[in-house]
Amino acid sequence: MENRASRSRPAENVEPVAVSARAPLVSYESLARWLLVFILAAGVYFFHGFLVPVLAALVIGFASWPLFKRLRSALGNRDAWSATVALVLVLSFIIVPIILAVLYAVKEIRLWAAWAIEANRVGPPVPVWIADLPIVGAGAAEQWQRYLGHPGGLGELVQAISGSNIGNIYRGLLVVGSSAFQAVLTLLFLLITLFFVYRDGDKLVAQLDRLGERVLPDRWERVSRIVPMTISSTVMGMTVIAIGEGIVLGIAYWLAGVPSPVTLGIITGVMALVPGGAPLCFTLVSVYLIASGTPVNGIALLVWGSTELFIVDKTLRPRLVGGPIKLPFLPTFFGLIGGVKTMGFLGLFLGPVLMALLVSIWREWVFETKGRTDADR
């Protein structure tokens, strides 16, 4: 019995064995970060279709925020009511006129395409104004007859320039005209997003400030000032002036008797986003009027366009542009072309804004590096 009792009692002098704690293969913090990255990637994948209208709404909201603050103060600081009124104003004075002008231009471009198909089938004759040009008229008429006057000549020229035949281009125009439902959905998402940007803009800015102070603690104060000024100066200085020049010169085209003045006015407005684009447009139209037998109208249009451009550059543009960013020609050109290629028509607004932000960040880095170099000396 004593032996059994002694066996059942644990030995008092035996030390406990230490169990080694193994570290996990992936830390909980790293796992949480990868999970957050996965959720963000899934959100971008599922909602990338809404990216363009959301970005457009943010750009419009940033650019018009000073005006909205005045409107909200006049309406008694009621956020929902002020956002509704601002949305109606944007819809009435910006979106609806642009839609009507674009629809009319698409209709005219379809007529141009139908004429081009018929001219390609029979061979377009030499225009009278080309044959009547002094010195070069006879040679130009001969080259026209050689390369364009025969059936299929216009199609060969279009094929050499664009890589597509006239029939494919015409069918593409029909597809663009019939995709109105998708454009309406995009516009609807833009308006809904813009309403919430106006209504909850202050809360959004406060949240961005808190996040920015954690991500860029030393630079966020400067960046947060540059970004709204950049967007406002880019949109107001480029887009508003371009729309105004398109309207004014479009009316001048109509008064001068130019065919398809609405379409040419829209083309001039788009080209006005590029430095030197508007003068090129009304100069070519003036040359066409002079060569077609109406030199008075052509000279008057050239004088009117030059005067309007001088007034805009000397009075309106310095007041509207302002801000810290003066985009050179090359970033502006890349922003326009890249924006249109990536996001379509809205890229005309978003591309220059993105390039302006990149230029502002680059200049900020250069200024900071220069300051450090001067301090080391």
Side-chain angles (χ1 to χ4, degrees), residues 129-138 291:
W129 63 272
I130 291 182
D132 293 339
L133 288 175
I135 302 175
V136 298

Side-chain angles (χ1 to χ4, degrees), residues 50 98-99 152 159 184 186 206 217 221 227 268 276 299 303 310 313 329 358 374:
F50 301 95
I98 291 177
I99 290 176
Q159 179 77 24
V184 169
T186 302
E221 184 178 359
V227 170
T268 304
I299 295 174
V303 173
F310 177 81
D313 288 340
F329 172 79
L358 292 176
D374 294 340

Side-chain angles (χ1 to χ4, degrees), residues 203-263:
K203 299 177 182 178
L204 177 62
V205 170
Q207 294 176 6
L208 288 177
D209 283 336
R210 287 196 296 267
L211 181 62
E213 288 295 339
R214 296 192 62 180
V215 177
L216 300 172
D218 298 330
R219 301 177 181 176
W220 179 252
E221 184 178 359
R222 295 193 301 271
V223 173
S224 62
R225 292 198 307 266
I226 290 176
V227 170
M229 295 175 65
T230 299
I231 294 177
S232 179
S233 63
T234 302
V235 175
M236 297 297 291
M238 296 179 60
T239 307
V240 175
I241 290 178
I243 293 175
E245 288 186 354
I247 293 174
V248 172
L249 290 175
I251 295 175
Y253 295 156
W254 175 68
L255 293 176
V258 179
S260 303
V262 176
T263 304

